[in-house]
Amino acid sequence: HIESALLYVKRMVVNSAVQEQHQDYLEEGNSLLYPFQDRGVLAYDIPEGVTTYTSETISVGSVPNSLVIGVLKSDSFHGKADVGSYAFTPAGLESVQVTLDGDPFVYNELSLKDDNFTRAYDSLFTVGKTKHIGLTYEAYKNTTALVAYSLLPGDSSNERQLQRTGSLRVHLKFKQPTTTPLTVICYTERPCVMGVGKDFKVTIESV
């Protein structure tokens, strides 16, 4: 259990000239715009003894730019002293599919059949736009179950991917019935803009 905790907050003093400039800008009927990345994490429990699983809707409305999906044992995720809370495991996954409004052909299925993890492994580099993830292919294949999807238009030959609104779901298929309860974690990112108007009303919109 936690006996104590400290939170350090750094206070920033805004230059008075900047404050006046912002106020004049608002008085002219403009809004102050602040871009940011909206990040969301959802977790769903998968019961023991299933070979397929379809998540609840993970996103409604604007489609995120990217989606990362991971699977781990439920007792690890919900709390176990001798296991890390994000100890992702292959869990006998055979394939991962993301659907948009129920259409399975918008985004490519990632297959993990016959221990062919190449495309799934490469997806982490493509979506993360990095050359280093601190995980070798062999370690990934034997100890980890993470896949990533770029949901941006142009990253697929399917014209429906130009659609930027809808309902997203994740479909998992296992090679054999699951032998222990599992948890699937879905991490999404989408660009947003926060606007502040003259009346200090705050609005947030996806872009």
Side-chain angles (χ1 to χ4, degrees):
H1 66 278
I2 299 175
E3 295 183 351
S4 63
L6 291 174
L7 173 64
Y8 293 94
V9 179
K10 183 177 181 179
R11 182 181 180 185
M12 303 295 294
V13 179
V14 180
N15 186 288
S16 59
V18 173
Q19 289 181 321
E20 292 175 3
Q21 186 180 29
H22 285 180
Q23 189 62 45
D24 292 341
Y25 189 74
L26 290 172
E27 290 294 338
E28 294 173 0
N30 301 304
S31 295
L32 300 176
L33 302 178
Y34 301 90
F36 69 97
Q37 286 288 334
D38 179 34
R39 296 175 172 90
V41 178
L42 295 171
Y44 303 102
D45 289 330
I46 303 173
E48 181 180 344
V50 302
T51 55
T52 60
Y53 173 79
T54 298
S55 74
E56 298 176 26
T57 301
I58 62 173
S59 176
V60 178
S62 64
V63 175
N65 279 7
S66 60
L67 167 65
V68 179
I69 303 161
V71 177
L72 67 163
K73 293 181 179 179
S74 292
D75 59 358
S76 168
F77 177 73
H78 293 293
K80 193 173 182 181
D82 58 345
V83 182
S85 57
Y86 291 100
F88 295 102
T89 171
L93 267 179
E94 184 176 279
S95 65
V96 179
Q97 177 71 65
V98 175
T99 60
L100 177 62
D101 291 338
D103 187 344
F105 301 108
V106 180
Y107 308 109
N108 294 325
E109 179 183 65
L110 288 176
S111 175
L112 304 175
K113 293 181 181 178
D114 303 321
D115 294 329
N116 183 12
F117 288 69
T118 305
R119 285 186 58 228
Y121 181 64
D122 288 344
S123 72
L124 300 178
F125 294 90
T126 303
V127 175
K129 295 181 174 59
T130 180
K131 295 182 179 179
H132 306 285
I133 60 172
L135 189 65
T136 66
Y137 176 74
E138 287 301 319
Y140 174 84
K141 184 172 67 172
N142 295 324
T143 65
T144 305
L146 282 172
V147 298
Y149 275 87
S150 172
L151 308 179
L152 289 169
D155 285 351
S156 167
S157 59
N158 192 308
E159 291 184 359
R160 269 211 67 191
Q161 196 169 351
L162 297 175
Q163 177 182 333
R164 298 305 296 155
T165 59
S167 173
L168 285 178
R169 288 178 182 267
V170 171
H171 306 265
L172 306 179
K173 183 183 292 185
F174 298 90
K175 299 173 184 176
Q176 55 188 339
T178 54
T179 57
T180 185
L182 302 171
T183 298
V184 56
I185 297 178
C186 302
Y187 169 81
T188 59
E189 281 192 358
R190 80 187 79 213
C192 292
V193 171
M194 181 179 71
V196 181
K198 180 180 177 180
D199 56 358
F200 295 104
K201 181 179 179 180
V202 177
T203 60
I204 295 179
E205 296 181 358
S206 299
V207 297

